[in-house]
Amino acid sequence: MDGEGVIVPLDSFSQPASLIKKTAVSRSWVSVDTSGQSTVLDLDKYGIMKRVSIHARDLRILDPLLSYPSAIFGREKAIVLNLEHIKAIITTEEVLLRDPLDDNVIPIVEELQRRLPPPNLNFMGQGDDEEGTGVQSEAQTSESNEFPFEFRALEVALEGICSFLDARTRELETAAYPALDELTSMISSRNLDRVRKLKSAMTRLTNRVQKVRDELEQLLDDDDDMADLYLSRKLSFASSASSDVGDFTWSPASPTIESKISRASRATPFSTHGENDVEELEMLLEAYFMQIEATSNKLTTLREYIDDTEDYINIQLDNHRNQLIQLELFLLSGTVSLSVYSLVAAIFGMNIPYPWNKNHGYAFKWVVMFAGVISGSIFMSILTYSRHKGLVGL
């Protein structure tokens, strides 16, 4: 391979799924340009590195076979984006998305096609008033310039991942709350196993949401990292600096050339918009940080509800255990009482001749009654003592 790759027509989506999926795992990318046109590319890692000017370590972050946490990195000419299933490389001219056949990636591609074209393109050829059209196009172009292409693509990716995680959270809530209520009403192995699976799913989803939230929070806390995402600004500064330097012919005797180059080097990409001016990107990230924070709060509320349900179940189990202990105490007390009665019967039932059992048939009923009274007295004494000590309920 020469590393340049092959452009695959969009009709390739109709090819057999097994063949396409095998290709998509290793080499398949989809490119969406500034006009919203998409093209499926068959590129190896060297072709991607040459196309977007990134290092191999950045490309490894997007490898679906490797487990890397969510990350957003700003490089010299690209933004490397790894958010769950959204693995993308954003430049000032195109967005490259990995695995275009993934069911979760297809909606992102469609949204990019819809939202990436500049707003002024939607008004081309409309309106009879040339002056009005010019003013409208100028306004739209100004708006487009204020919100660069890479930020529009980043917004689509952030919106996609936040909506995806929020949808998974709502599905989990829909399944979890009825299952927990059913478990509180009837404790069974089936309901316990169902809640256990839901809790495991919630833990996994919480970790995924937390990774995205932590990445956005870390990005918001560092202005330099946010400044690295201004690709258009860096590109504009680089072109202007090169043109300024190119206007001069270097001469060792020129006293002003060094000062002019020094001034050009100090004119950072933020000099036009103010030094470290990242307010526009910060507002964008804060909006989706609040959305992912709301999703995290939903999962936290669900976890607290699960914990409360577990506490309630444990209280119920403890109550049942106490009732079994009380029943066991009653049975033991009855056994002790009957053992006294059996002792009397055993004594009088021994086959040993003795003189006082002659002509005393009336004594049988008194012995039986006396033994029964003694046994009952022992049973009541044990229960009275247990209630006095609080061992059984009143």
Side-chain angles (χ1 to χ4, degrees):
M1 290 294 295
D2 57 0
E4 293 297 331
V6 179
I7 296 179
V8 181
L10 289 177
D11 294 339
S12 62
F13 284 104
S14 61
Q15 295 179 6
S18 59
L19 178 61
I20 293 298
K21 187 169 288 293
K22 181 178 179 181
T23 305
V25 170
S26 58
R27 299 169 57 92
S28 185
W29 296 75
V30 61
S31 171
V32 184
D33 58 18
T34 55
S35 62
Q37 299 297 322
S38 63
T39 306
V40 178
L41 306 175
D42 186 21
L43 294 173
D44 59 6
K45 63 179 181 179
Y46 301 105
I48 292 294
M49 291 165 56
K50 182 178 180 180
R51 186 183 183 97
V52 297
S53 301
I54 62 174
H55 297 288
R57 65 174 182 270
D58 297 326
L59 197 58
R60 281 195 294 271
I61 298 175
L62 306 180
D63 193 338
L65 301 179
L66 301 178
S67 178
Y68 278 94
S70 297
I72 302 175
F73 295 128
R75 297 298 183 245
E76 184 65 27
K77 296 182 180 180
I79 297 174
V80 181
L81 189 70
N82 179 27
L83 297 175
E84 294 289 329
H85 55 274
I86 303 178
K87 302 179 183 297
I89 302 174
I90 303 174
T91 67
T92 56
E93 298 177 351
E94 65 176 349
V95 180
L96 292 174
L97 274 168
R98 191 155 202 166
D99 297 336
L101 298 181
D102 192 330
D103 293 337
N104 295 322
V105 176
I106 293 177
I108 303 299
V109 176
E110 295 175 351
E111 190 68 13
L112 287 171
Q113 293 173 342
R114 187 180 68 86
R115 295 173 57 176
L116 284 186
N120 59 309
L121 293 181
N122 298 329
F123 298 93
M124 294 294 291
Q126 295 183 4
D128 297 329
D129 189 355
E130 183 178 357
E131 182 179 357
T133 304
V135 173
Q136 190 176 27
S137 299
E138 182 179 356
Q140 296 293 342
T141 304
S142 176
E143 181 181 356
S144 175
N145 291 334
E146 290 179 0
F147 206 64
F149 169 81
E150 63 269 18
F151 288 172
R152 297 201 303 273
L154 179 61
E155 182 180 13
V156 172
L158 290 175
E159 181 180 345
I161 191 61
C162 290
S163 301
F164 174 80
L165 293 175
D166 186 65
R168 300 289 85 75
T169 301
R170 289 197 302 269
E171 292 177 0
L172 184 61
E173 287 179 331
T174 303
Y177 284 115
L180 292 171
D181 294 338
E182 184 178 356
L183 179 62
T184 56
S185 61
M186 183 180 64
I187 302 175
S188 64
S189 299
R190 173 180 171 274
N191 291 336
L192 286 172
D193 184 67
R194 182 183 177 189
V195 171
R196 180 189 62 82
K197 293 179 180 178
L198 290 172
K199 186 176 181 180
S200 299
M202 185 204 65
T203 301
R204 292 192 297 268
L205 183 58
T206 301
N207 292 335
R208 296 165 63 185
V209 171
Q210 190 65 32
K211 289 178 182 178
V212 177
R213 179 191 176 279
D214 291 343
E215 179 60 26
L216 292 179
E217 184 178 17
Q218 181 180 357
L219 199 59
L220 285 169
D221 290 340
D222 195 332
D223 289 349
D224 293 336
D225 288 344
M226 286 191 288
D228 289 337
L229 303 183
Y230 280 80
L231 302 181
S232 298
R233 187 184 298 179
K234 290 190 292 185
L235 181 62
S236 175
F237 164 72
S239 60
S240 61
S242 61
S243 61
D244 290 342
V245 174
D247 291 340
F248 303 103
T249 302
W250 183 84
S251 173
S254 176
T256 60
I257 187 67
E258 182 179 356
S259 62
K260 291 181 179 180
I261 296 177
S262 177
R263 286 197 300 270
S265 64
R266 289 197 301 270
T268 63
F270 315 109
S271 59
T272 305
H273 302 274
E275 188 174 357
N276 292 332
D277 180 14
V278 293
E279 181 180 0
E280 182 182 42
L281 178 59
E282 186 175 8
M283 293 176 62
L284 173 65
L285 294 177
E286 281 181 351
Y288 291 101
F289 177 79
M290 293 176 62
Q291 184 174 348
I292 200 70
E293 179 73 12
T295 303
S296 178
N297 291 336
K298 290 180 182 179
L299 292 172
T300 301
T301 303
L302 180 58
R303 175 177 291 276
E304 292 176 353
Y305 193 83
I306 292 177
D307 293 339
D308 293 341
T309 303
E310 289 179 347
D311 293 339
Y312 178 75
I313 296 301
N314 290 331
I315 292 174
Q316 280 189 329
L317 294 177
D318 291 340
N319 183 45
H320 293 163
R321 191 178 300 111
N322 292 336
Q323 291 177 357
L324 291 175
I325 293 175
Q326 291 181 13
L327 178 60
E328 183 181 6
L329 179 60
F330 290 147
L331 294 177
L332 289 176
S333 301
T335 302
V336 171
S337 302
L338 291 177
S339 64
V340 174
Y341 191 88
S342 300
L343 176 62
V344 175
I347 292 174
F348 284 93
M350 289 187 295
N351 191 16
I352 299 176
Y354 41 88
W356 53 269
N357 63 349
K358 303 295 184 181
N359 300 323
H360 293 84
Y362 63 90
F364 175 78
K365 61 179 180 181
W366 294 107
V367 172
V368 172
M369 293 174 58
F370 180 76
V373 170
I374 293 298
S375 299
S377 300
I378 294 175
F379 182 75
M380 295 303 299
S381 299
I382 295 175
L383 292 184
T384 302
Y385 177 79
S386 300
R387 290 175 179 173
H388 176 70
K389 294 297 183 179
L391 300 178
V392 295
L394 297 177

